[in-house]
Amino acid sequence: MTVEHLETTGTDAFPRRQAATRRFTLGAPRGVTIAPDGARVAFLRSRGGDDPVTCLWVLDVATGQEHLLVDPLALDVPGEEDLPPEEKARRERVREQSGGVVEYACDHDVVTAAFVLSGRAFTVGLTPDSTPAALPVEGPVVDPRPDPTGTRVAFVRGGALHVHTLGSGETTTLVSPDAEHVTWGLADFVAAEEMNRYRGFWWAPDGASLAVARVDDAAVGRWHIADPANPGREPGVVAYPAAGTTNATVTLHLLGLDGGRTDVDLGDDEYLAVVTWDRHALIVTTAPRDQKRVTLREVDPASGRSVEVRSDVDDAWVDLVPGVPAHLDDGGLVWCADADDVRRLVIDGAAVTGPELQVRGVAAVDGDTVLFAASRAGAPTSTVLHVWSRQAGVSAVSAERGVASGRLAGGVLVVAQASLDHDGTVTRVTGPGTSATLRSFAESPQLEPRVHLCTTGERGLSTAVLLPRHHIPGGDRLPVLLDPYGGPHAQRVVDARGAFLTSQWFADQGFAVVVADGRGTPGRGPAFERAVHGDLADPVLTDQLDALAGAAAEVEDLDLTRVAIRGWSFGGYLAALAVLRRPDAVHAAVAGAPVTDWALYDTHYTERYLGTPASWPDAYARSSILDDAAVPATAEAPMRPLMLIHGLADDNVVAAHTLRLSSALLAAGRPHQVLPLSGVTHMTPQEVVAENLLRLQVAFLRESLEMG
C-alpha cells in the first residue's frame, strides 16, 4: 500500500501516515560517505516515502548526477534461483522487512563498498556502471568491511573472523571462538548499546593486519524473554549485564594475515570504547567501570605494548564524545575536553574553541580541517556545523538556527539541515566550483507544528508549547499534556520541525502540549548534564513541573487542574514517577517501556549516573519508583489514572520492569491499566502499531481528564 492510497488530509490521518513512512524518514538520504578525492558521494536512500527498502546510491560530484548502484529487490541472491515461487516471495518480504541495504563499509579511496543482503555479503564498485557481486561465502555474514586497499573483505560469521581475497576468491579464517560464549570481531552489548561502538574489528592502514576484539560473555547474566502471544516459541535468551553485575570480558588483539597474533595492552580499564587506526597511530580509548576517567593509549602494533597519551578525569563521569580521537594530516591529535563548564575542541592538548561554543562532537577531519558540531552558548536548541583549521580558525558552515549534521572529505562538504521552517532534512553537497542537493523522497507530514519556544523557570529551561491549531486565545482553557523524554544525553526541544509532529497531533486533539528539556540534557554545558549524578528522579521531575508553571505564565489558557504526562523509555519512567510522587500536580499518565528499578538496567548507562547498587544504594533508592508504587494511595496523595505500555519482546528494558511495577501497584491497591504489545521491542515502540497506539493514548487521557 502506498501513501497515496491512505487518507492524506487532516490530522486524523497522521498516525497512519507516520507509521507508513516510519516517522516520515523513508526516502530521505542518509549514511553519507565522501571519497577522499571529493569526486563522489555514496549514500543510502529508499526509492519512495513509503518504501522501506533502502538502496545504495552514488553522486558524481562534478556532474551532480545521482546513480542507483544497489536495488535489493532487483538483486539476485545466490542460492535463490531454483526456489519455489512462494519461497522466493517469502524471502522478498523478509528482504523488505529487513530494510534492504541498512549499512555499508568502504575502502580508503571509497572505490568499493561491502554490504549484507539476506545474510549474504556483497561488494559493488562505486561507479555508475558497477554491478553488485556476491562473495562466494555462505551466510549469515555480519559486518563485511573492505580493507583500505580494496583487495580484501573481512567479515564475521559464527563468531569467527574471516578474510576473503577478491582477486583469488580465497577465504581464510583468521580466528575462531575458543569457548562457548566467545566471539571475535563483534561489539559487546554495552559497547553497542551505550558507547555507540557497533563494530569489533579494524583494518590496519596498509591492509596487512587487523585489530580484533574478543568478547567473552560467559559470566554475564542471562535474561529469558518470552512472548505470551506465541506460547509455543522458546523464550529468547539475552546476555544482559544489569547494574552491579558482571560485564563481558573484552580484549583486543592484532591479527596478521600471515597468522601472527599479538595481544594489546589495554591497561586496567574495563571498557574498550573506541579504536582508531590511521597512518599516524593505533589509539585505543578506554574507561574504568566507574567512567570517571577516559584514557587514550597509543599502541605499538609490533609488540602490542601501549603508552598513555592523555587521560581526562571528572568527579561524576567523563563523556565519550563522538568522532574523537582523530588526527590531522600533520599528526596533530584531535580531541574534545571539558573546561570551565564548556566542552571544547582540543588540538594537541590546547583548546581551539572558546566559551561561546558548546562542542557536541567531531563529524570529520579533512587534511588540516576539522568539521565539528556545536551549540552557541545560550542556544542549546540549535546544533550548528563549524570548521576549524590552523590557518583560518573557527567558522560556521551551516544555518545558525536548526539542527545540522554533516561530513567533509576532499574539500567536499555535505550538510543535512533540519529546521522549523521546512519538513524533514535538506542535504546539500558543496565543493570547489560545485553544488548539488541530494534528492529526498520523504513524504510531507502535511502537519505543520506551531511551536512557541521559550525558556522557563529559574534555570531557563528550553521549553516548547504547542496549542491546537484551531484554538482561539482567550477561549476555552485547555488541559495540559507534558510530552518529555527528560533523560540524560537526549533533547526534545530542538529547532527541527520533525521533533514536534507527534506533539502537534496531540495538541490538535484538544491539549496544550508542553515539551521541556531539564537537567541532564545536553547542549548547555557539563554542569547542567551532571546535575543528575546520584539522582535520576528529583531533578528531572522538578524541572518538568517548573517548565509547566513557566509555560502557564508564558501562554494563556493552560488549565493546571487537568495535567497529564506521556513518555517512552526514560520518558515513560518520568511519566510514572510524576503521577506517583506528584499526584497533586499531575493527574494522569501514559508510561511506555518505563524503567522502574535502575538496578535492572545495564551497567554502562546506569552506573555512569548512580554508581553500582552496592556502592551507592541511596542513589538507587532515590531513583526507583517501586517503593512509591508500594505505598497505598491516600486522600492527600490519590492514585491517578496510569496506563503502562510495554513491548513483550523488549530487548533492552525487559518486561520485568513493567510487571514488577504493576505487581507493586496491585499489592498496594492502586488501580491502573497495562497494555502489552506483542512482538514490540524497546527501539520500535510506536512505529509498529503507531496509529492504534496513539489513538488509545488519546482516548485514555481524554477519559482520565474528563474531557468529554
Side-chain angles (χ1 to χ4, degrees), residues 431-505:
T434 185
S435 178
T437 298
L438 296 184
R439 290 178 297 165
S440 176
F441 304 137
E443 291 289 331
S444 168
Q446 299 180 8
L447 177 67
E448 182 178 343
R450 297 182 181 177
V451 185
H452 178 84
L453 293 175
C454 56
T455 57
T456 56
E458 62 182 20
R459 297 177 189 86
L461 305 174
S462 298
T463 305
V465 182
L466 299 95
L467 304 181
R469 289 178 296 169
H470 59 268
H471 179 70
I472 300 173
D476 294 337
R477 293 176 64 77
L478 298 168
V480 182
L481 176 61
L482 303 177
D483 192 14
Y485 177 77
H489 286 73
Q491 284 179 270
R492 284 277 285 111
V493 184
V494 294
D495 291 322
R497 186 176 289 185
F500 299 105
L501 294 175
T502 303
S503 298
Q504 184 63 62
W505 182 81

Side-chain angles (χ1 to χ4, degrees), residues 255-288:
L255 304 181
L257 298 182
D258 58 3
R261 171 174 163 179
T262 302
D263 300 337
V264 174
D265 170 27
L266 296 178
D268 298 326
D269 288 344
E270 186 160 338
Y271 292 123
L272 175 62
V274 183
V275 177
T276 304
W277 201 351
D278 58 24
R279 65 185 179 87
H280 297 287
L282 168 58
I283 294 182
V284 294
T285 305
T286 64

